[in-house]
Amino acid sequence: MFKPNALGGVTILAACGALFAGASSSLADHVDGHVLPEVMVDAPRTARAKPARKPKARAAAATRSSRSAASTPANPPRVIVTGGSTTPAAALAGLTQSPTGQTTTTIGHDQFDNRPSFSVSDVLRDSPGISVKQGNGPRDFGISIRGSNARNGFGIRNMVIFDDGFPVTQPDGLSRSDLIDPHAYGAIDVIRGPSSALYGNYATGGALNFRTRPGGSIDGVEYGIDGGSFGYLNNYFTVGKKVGNFEASLFASDARGDGFIGNSWFNTQTVNFLGTYQATPDDRFTLKIINNNLDARLPIRLSLNQFEQNPFQRGCSTFAGMAPGCATVTLNKNGFNNSAGVDKETAEQAGLNRDDRRTIVGARWEHDFDNQTTWRNQLVFDDRNINQPTGTTSAIGDYPSYNFMSDITHKGQLFGFDSTTYFGGFYNTLSWSGDTRNVMPGGNATLGLLSSNVTGTHTNFGLRAREEVRLTDALTSIAGIGWENTQLKGVNTAYKYPPTNDPTATLALTPADKQFTNVAPEVALLYKFSNEWQGRARVGTGYGTPQLGNLFVLANGQNGNNTNLVPQRNVGYDLGVDWTPNKTVKVSLTGFYEFFRNELVSQATPPNQPNSSFMFNAPRSEHRGIELAADWRFQPGWRATLAYTYLDEIYTDYTEILNNGASFSFNRAGNKIPGISPNELTARLGYDEMAGIYAGLGAFVEVQWKDAFYMDNANLLKAPGYELVNLNVHYTTGLKSDVFKTLNVYFEVRNLFDRTYVASANNIPNSVSNTGIQDSASVLANKTGSIYAGSPRAFIAGMKVAFR
């Protein structure tokens, strides 16, 4: 159901994709688990076999070619990826996949290939340490690593995200998951713990790397379709081929649905292209293109009491005669102040929505000076264009950015020990140009006058270095450091209108010119006790600066001077052990303890304000927890997996000021940080028939548990936890045909027992009476702007066919 006008300029890429059409191979092989001892392989894609060439003084190219070919056999085994690969190119790939000594889980394609996978929420739950919550849009999910982003109101922060090694986190630290369709990917690497030494600004929680499937592994054309409850339909295709020195893959999807909450219809198109050309035996060029168009209506977040009354916002088409529990926004009739009166309108009546586009184009050149040294240069252009009338105001802006990096990786010897040395520099900048306009009555998100405007730049530049030394066959040491300078420069213009029906505004300008310098060291040890046991110890550091927009929003939701914000910093200690007694059992256990200074915490503002959230520094806090991953293949065809996370995160130094005519102070030391669930678990038990007439038929049952968590700094009100059960049946078979190669069909029931649950709960502000007494939980339960319900029981079926 691809429409040329919907896919926009991508039709040219689609036409080019026909060049790669041909026979299709089996699906990309699964890679999962933490850094474990048994197997060391070259990372895929960058460590390629090279054409024969004349011998040189250094080792022959044929040696390199045979080694690379040996790392990617025709039928590769299921392996655990570890850092410290045997070629420079593979070492470069390892920096965004499985850095040596880091706590890492890789989610392989076979963990989500036989199920409908609409968003990152469907796949990332398979990793411990990960938590997801519904954001402002169908595929917009907040992703948290170790609680790092759990209390952010929208988008993704406190981690750096890559797509095939190309950054999709903009220089201001914001990532969005709207552009991620899991069908496009062969594996997802989840790198946990403070990682600014390697990934720079905002990597306080870690990093994610989404890896598309290489064109050679696709080797043809695949078409798929998912459809089911609430009008959901996703048509997608993948084209891939490797011809000589050129390899490319193209993915495109068209997803749409009515949504299960009132006013949550959506329509989104995604394109993801990766092409690599081996120009010479020493030079590789890679091109990356991602484009996502989103058109979505958006419901209003509820209070806890509204959620309990009307979680899916039924009967909320208009304010007049609306059902109990409907959420509303208050809109100025004249579009700039309340002198002409106000209207209360529901989301559907006001026409709240998002209309966004994201375009990313990246290019990479890798040059091998010799078999031990590789130089890499990478440039990425990333444009985020938004139009978001999501409440009383609309955010409208264009945020183009450029990201350049250059680095060298050398494998050799240091004091007689095998070593890998990495050194690089980087520069990235974002041009900030955003308007906040009032939304007024009339439907279709009618825009009123300007509320504020922010213009400026966010620039980062710095250096990073890393040394890995193999001290013995069993012991590897790692040390790294990153230095970075960040500059925030801009102006906020607030438009203040008189209390009369006069649209003439008084302009209030708030300038900002801030500069921050951060240094992040890290050290780690990786020790192989035996063929079955491996230990990991690491001390890592992270930092994250405010973004430009944070400097101009006050706690009351008004525009003003918040330029006293400073960067957050954290130091984290990881201690882990991995056990692989045989090929059927993998267990990994990690304990961590992280100390934050000036943690940047997002807090909701009172309803119907120009800004829905503001940022503040909590002086000291501590994050600690346990992560457990287990994978057990028992008896032929049976498999059980488990991902469990325990989090205990508290403020240790933070005094909150609440205002109600007068100011009152409240000590939050010892309180739980809101928005963070202390226990999360995903467990799956499945069976696949391996032989006979039913070969390829399988099923699994999955349980997801999320514990209740506090919604406010005073720890007075909790969002309820939930347990969900999903049931899946699938069938995969080869086809004896000159046209078709394989067929994969599946059927899944989500939320089998039809539980009503909270899929997202943004933090709510505490309030205080005139006498300085904090309002009780019963008062907080009426504060809106927090909750989205999760999906009721849903039935989804899908199929995918591979063509020769």
Side-chain angles (χ1 to χ4, degrees):
M1 260 193 188
F2 295 100
K3 296 182 179 181
N5 60 339
L7 288 175
V10 179
T11 30
I12 296 176
L13 285 175
C16 294
L19 297 175
F20 320 137
S24 174
S25 65
S26 61
L27 300 174
D29 197 60
H30 167 74
V31 182
D32 76 40
H34 293 259
V35 181
L36 294 178
E38 295 281 69
V39 184
M40 296 182 70
V41 298
D42 290 357
R45 203 189 313 282
T46 53
R48 305 183 189 284
K50 298 183 179 180
R53 59 176 179 172
K54 294 180 181 180
K56 295 186 179 181
R58 58 183 182 264
T63 303
R64 241 188 304 165
S65 178
S66 61
R67 179 175 56 206
S68 179
S71 70
T72 54
N75 295 294
R78 302 184 185 279
V79 296
I80 305 303
V81 174
T82 180
S85 303
T86 56
T87 66
L92 287 170
L95 294 175
T96 51
Q97 291 180 18
S98 300
T100 304
Q102 190 104 11
T103 305
T104 306
T105 301
T106 296
I107 303 168
H109 191 254
D110 71 344
Q111 288 179 252
F112 54 88
D113 183 51
N114 55 10
R115 68 182 309 178
S117 299
F118 168 66
S119 70
V120 292
S121 177
D122 298 323
V123 295
L124 287 181
R125 295 180 189 271
D126 288 336
S127 170
I130 286 283
S131 179
V132 294
K133 73 174 186 178
Q134 181 67 55
N136 296 336
R139 267 197 334 222
D140 180 42
F141 279 82
I143 305 171
S144 170
I145 299 179
R146 297 180 173 177
S148 61
N149 187 59
R151 51 220 176 269
N152 193 45
F154 72 96
I156 304 166
R157 293 199 176 277
N158 296 344
M159 69 189 72
V160 178
I161 301 181
F162 299 89
D163 199 297
D164 291 315
F166 293 90
V168 294
T169 296
Q170 289 200 297
D172 68 339
L174 181 65
S175 308
R176 300 298 288 256
S177 63
D178 298 299
L179 73 166
I180 299 172
D181 188 324
H183 296 102
Y185 298 101
I188 304 159
D189 306 298
V190 181
I191 302 164
R192 304 193 295 281
S195 304
S196 290
L198 191 55
Y199 302 124
N201 204 356
Y202 304 111
T204 51
L208 299 174
N209 183 39
F210 291 81
R211 288 186 271 146
T212 56
R213 296 160 57 198
S217 72
I218 300 166
D219 196 27
V221 180
E222 296 176 356
Y223 167 75
I225 182 171
D226 292 348
S229 300
F230 314 113
Y232 171 59
L233 183 67
N234 187 358
N235 283 279
Y236 61 95
F237 72 85
T238 306
V239 182
K241 195 72 175 177
K242 187 178 189 302
V243 180
N245 294 339
F246 179 67
E247 183 174 21
S249 62
L250 170 69
F251 171 84
S253 70
D254 178 278
R256 54 191 68 198
D258 298 327
F260 53 87
I261 298 177
N263 202 58
S264 60
W265 172 93
F266 64 91
N267 181 359
T268 183
Q269 290 78 41
T270 304
V271 171
N272 196 322
F273 172 81
L274 179 72
T276 301
Y277 177 60
Q278 184 85 44
T280 73
D282 292 322
D283 296 281
R284 295 171 296 282
F285 295 92
T286 302
L287 175 66
K288 183 73 177 180
I289 300 174
I290 304 174
N291 190 81
N292 176 253
N293 294 315
L294 171 65
D295 181 10
R297 298 169 187 164
L298 197 69
I300 302 169
R301 290 179 177 268
L302 305 175
S303 69
L304 184 59
N305 284 342
Q306 288 172 325
F307 165 78
E308 292 174 347
Q309 286 181 298
N310 191 353
F312 307 113
Q313 304 191 44
R314 308 300 188 204
C316 300
S317 57
T318 62
F319 176 73
M322 68 181 184
C326 291
T328 62
V329 291
T330 301
L331 306 178
N332 297 320
K333 288 184 176 181
N334 61 12
F336 57 90
N337 65 18
N338 60 8
S339 61
V342 297
D343 271 352
K344 285 191 174 182
E345 296 192 355
T346 64
E348 186 175 347
Q349 184 179 5
L352 306 185
N353 68 85
R354 284 180 59 196
D355 185 5
D356 298 349
R357 176 188 55 80
R358 184 83 178 270
T359 301
I360 299 171
V361 180
R364 181 164 59 227
W365 169 42
E366 295 168 278
H367 173 74
D368 295 338
F369 289 107
D370 52 39
N371 284 346
Q372 287 75 44
T373 308
T374 294
W375 180 31
R376 176 176 62 170
N377 294 278
Q378 182 170 284
L379 176 65
V380 176
F381 169 73
D382 184 344
D383 183 38
R384 174 167 49 97
N385 192 291
I386 66 170
N387 183 357
Q388 301 177 350
T390 60
T392 59
T393 59
S394 176
I396 303 171
D398 189 26
Y399 304 88
S401 66
Y402 295 88
N403 191 317
F404 175 74
M405 53 153 285
S406 181
D407 54 39
I408 291 179
T409 299
H410 175 74
K411 294 191 68 67
Q413 294 229 320
L414 183 67
F415 304 117
F417 299 105
D418 291 340
S419 69
T420 300
T421 303
Y422 168 85
F423 179 78
F426 58 92
Y427 172 88
N428 53 72
T429 185
L430 177 142
S431 296
W432 190 291
S433 177
D435 291 340
T436 300
R437 298 184 71 95
N438 291 289
V439 176
M440 58 190 297
N444 298 317
T446 303
L447 295 181
L449 300 185
L450 272 171
S451 172
S452 66
N453 167 267
V454 177
T455 58
T457 57
H458 185 130
T459 301
N460 307 292
F461 62 89
L463 302 171
R464 55 177 67 111
R466 182 180 175 90
E467 187 72 46
E468 300 177 12
V469 181
R470 189 172 183 180
L471 299 174
T472 69
D473 289 342
L475 180 63
T476 299
S477 66
I478 304 97
I481 191 168
W483 171 88
E484 185 165 357
N485 180 273
T486 297
Q487 297 177 350
L488 307 181
K489 190 171 184 178
V491 175
N492 174 271
T493 304
Y495 292 75
K496 298 184 177 180
Y497 299 95
T500 63
N501 196 22
D502 179 1
T504 304
T506 301
L507 306 186
L509 276 64
T510 304
D513 190 353
K514 305 281 287 187
Q515 183 166 289
F516 308 107
T517 298
N518 290 286
V519 178
E522 70 168 322
V523 293
L525 291 174
L526 189 68
Y527 185 73
K528 181 178 177 181
F529 298 102
S530 68
N531 288 334
E532 297 181 1
W533 291 92
Q534 177 176 269
R536 290 171 284 108
R538 179 178 183 269
V539 181
T541 54
Y543 56 84
T545 62
Q547 62 166 324
L548 189 63
N550 299 151
L551 305 180
F552 307 120
V553 181
L554 304 178
N556 60 8
Q558 296 294 316
N559 296 293
N561 190 327
N562 195 30
T563 57
N564 59 343
L565 287 175
V566 298
Q568 66 177 4
R569 295 183 176 90
N570 66 324
V571 54
Y573 301 86
D574 277 29
L575 190 62
V577 62
D578 308 306
W579 180 49
T580 53
N582 51 55
K583 294 181 179 180
T584 64
V585 177
K586 307 167 193 173
V587 180
S588 181
L589 179 66
T590 303
F592 65 89
Y593 209 126
E594 298 177 8
F595 298 86
F596 275 80
R597 299 294 180 267
N598 297 312
E599 183 172 10
L600 288 166
V601 180
S602 174
Q603 185 71 49
T605 60
N608 301 314
Q609 296 302 315
N611 301 281
S612 61
S613 63
F614 79 103
M615 194 71 69
F616 65 92
N617 288 113
R620 293 176 185 267
S621 55
E622 295 179 5
H623 301 192
R624 54 263 181 125
I626 297 171
E627 299 164 338
L628 173 64
D631 189 339
W632 181 26
R633 301 171 189 265
F634 61 99
Q635 299 299 324
W638 287 93
R639 183 182 183 186
T641 61
L642 180 145
Y644 169 73
T645 306
Y646 168 73
L647 298 176
D648 181 24
E649 307 193 357
I650 60 171
Y651 294 121
T652 55
D653 179 10
Y654 171 43
T655 299
E656 185 174 19
I657 308 296
L658 300 180
N659 295 280
N660 191 0
S663 296
F664 301 92
S665 301
F666 297 91
N667 185 8
R668 305 304 190 197
N671 284 17
K672 304 289 186 183
I673 299 175
I676 297 171
S677 174
N679 294 282
E680 292 200 42
L681 176 145
T682 297
R684 186 184 305 165
L685 175 64
Y687 175 77
D688 287 278
E689 184 62 40
M690 308 300 292
I693 61 173
Y694 299 111
L697 181 64
F700 65 77
V701 60
E702 179 183 72
V703 177
Q704 297 174 358
W705 170 44
K706 186 180 181 77
D707 205 355
F709 56 90
Y710 288 109
M711 301 169 63
D712 66 300
N713 284 329
N715 291 179
L716 300 176
L717 187 68
K718 275 189 173 184
Y722 61 83
E723 303 85 25
L724 302 180
V725 177
N726 303 321
L727 183 64
N728 174 285
V729 179
H730 53 268
Y731 178 66
T732 303
T733 184
L735 300 175
K736 296 181 179 180
S737 167
D738 294 334
V739 178
F740 305 104
K741 186 173 183 182
T742 60
L743 174 68
N744 185 1
V745 296
Y746 41 82
F747 175 75
E748 186 159 318
V749 184
R750 299 276 179 90
N751 192 2
L752 180 65
F753 298 108
D754 201 20
R755 306 295 191 196
T756 300
Y757 67 99
V758 173
S760 175
N762 286 346
N763 295 351
I764 57 176
N766 290 102
S767 53
V768 64
S769 69
N770 292 332
T771 59
I773 305 299
Q774 289 189 98
D775 290 331
S776 65
S778 62
V779 174
L780 300 181
N782 286 313
K783 292 196 174 184
T784 59
S786 178
I787 293 176
Y788 280 145
S791 173
R793 183 190 294 122
F795 302 91
I796 307 175
M799 61 157 283
K800 181 171 67 175
V801 60
F803 298 86
R804 295 186 183 277

